[in-house]
Amino acid sequence: MEYEIASAKSMEAFGAALAEYANSEDIVFLSGNLGAGKTTLVRGFLRALGHSGNVKSPTYTLVENYCIKNNDIYHFDLYRLNDPEELEALGIRDYFSENAICFFEWPEKASAILPEPSISINIVQNGSSRKLTFTTNSNEAKQSARQLQFSA
């Protein structure tokens, strides 16, 4: 599915819509250039679940953890990753558990280590707007995507 995202507010709204239908154990790949809106989408997702604190890009920390409604949401930014094996040292496999949703920015930097995503989102800048391509890879995610209601 493709969506035209007109503003940062619309990107947050898409994240909020995604939060309504996300399943625990989802793995979400977020691809796009710097400044495309990946963290903004995650911010909308978290806000929709009730998080009111700061949501920053985990560029320097590699991962930010949010515990909301008995779910762990892990937001990874792999942009600064030098070697995928760094994720093994971080204990990456421990993050994939029940009641955990993982978002990965720049997943291509560790594709050999990461499992198949249930959702892939590619964001392409088009002037001041964004073209978002949403792909699902699991049956649960496909059923959720059919219910995803979003209009920019």
Side-chain angles (χ1 to χ4, degrees):
M1 293 188 238
E2 290 187 354
Y3 301 91
E4 191 69 28
I5 307 293
S7 65
K9 185 177 178 179
S10 293
M11 187 66 79
E12 283 194 32
F14 184 87
L18 180 61
E20 189 171 335
Y21 297 102
N23 297 302
S24 62
E25 301 182 40
D26 271 344
I27 297 171
V28 182
F29 283 6
L30 301 170
S31 300
N33 291 334
L34 287 171
K38 299 178 294 291
T39 297
T40 303
L41 186 150
V42 174
R43 183 178 301 114
F45 184 93
L46 293 168
R47 295 255 188 271
L49 294 178
H51 179 73
S52 59
N54 191 26
V55 177
K56 59 183 178 168
S57 175
T59 301
Y60 295 100
T61 59
L62 194 62
V63 62
E64 291 288 334
N65 178 31
Y66 304 89
C67 186
I68 305 168
K69 298 179 183 176
N70 297 321
N71 284 300
D72 284 312
I73 293 101
Y74 299 108
H75 179 199
F76 293 85
D77 186 331
L78 307 182
Y79 182 74
R80 296 174 44 94
L81 194 70
N82 293 316
D83 184 331
E85 292 300 319
E86 292 175 48
L87 290 177
E88 291 292 353
L90 183 67
I92 190 68
R93 295 183 199 315
D94 295 337
Y95 291 93
F96 307 125
S97 63
E98 288 184 24
N99 299 321
I101 299 170
C102 296
F103 287 90
F104 286 93
E105 295 188 28
W106 303 93
E108 62 276 5
K109 300 206 52 134
S111 59
I113 289 183
L114 296 175
E116 183 78 17
S118 48
I119 298 170
S120 297
I121 298 173
N122 186 51
I123 306 167
V124 177
Q125 293 169 277
N126 185 13
S128 62
S129 67
R130 308 287 188 263
K131 178 180 149 190
L132 187 146
T133 305
F134 182 88
T135 308
T136 57
N137 300 316
S138 73
N139 287 333
E140 279 186 10
K142 286 177 184 177
Q143 289 175 335
S144 294
R146 285 188 205 108
Q147 298 173 25
L148 183 68
Q149 300 296 316
F150 175 78
S151 59

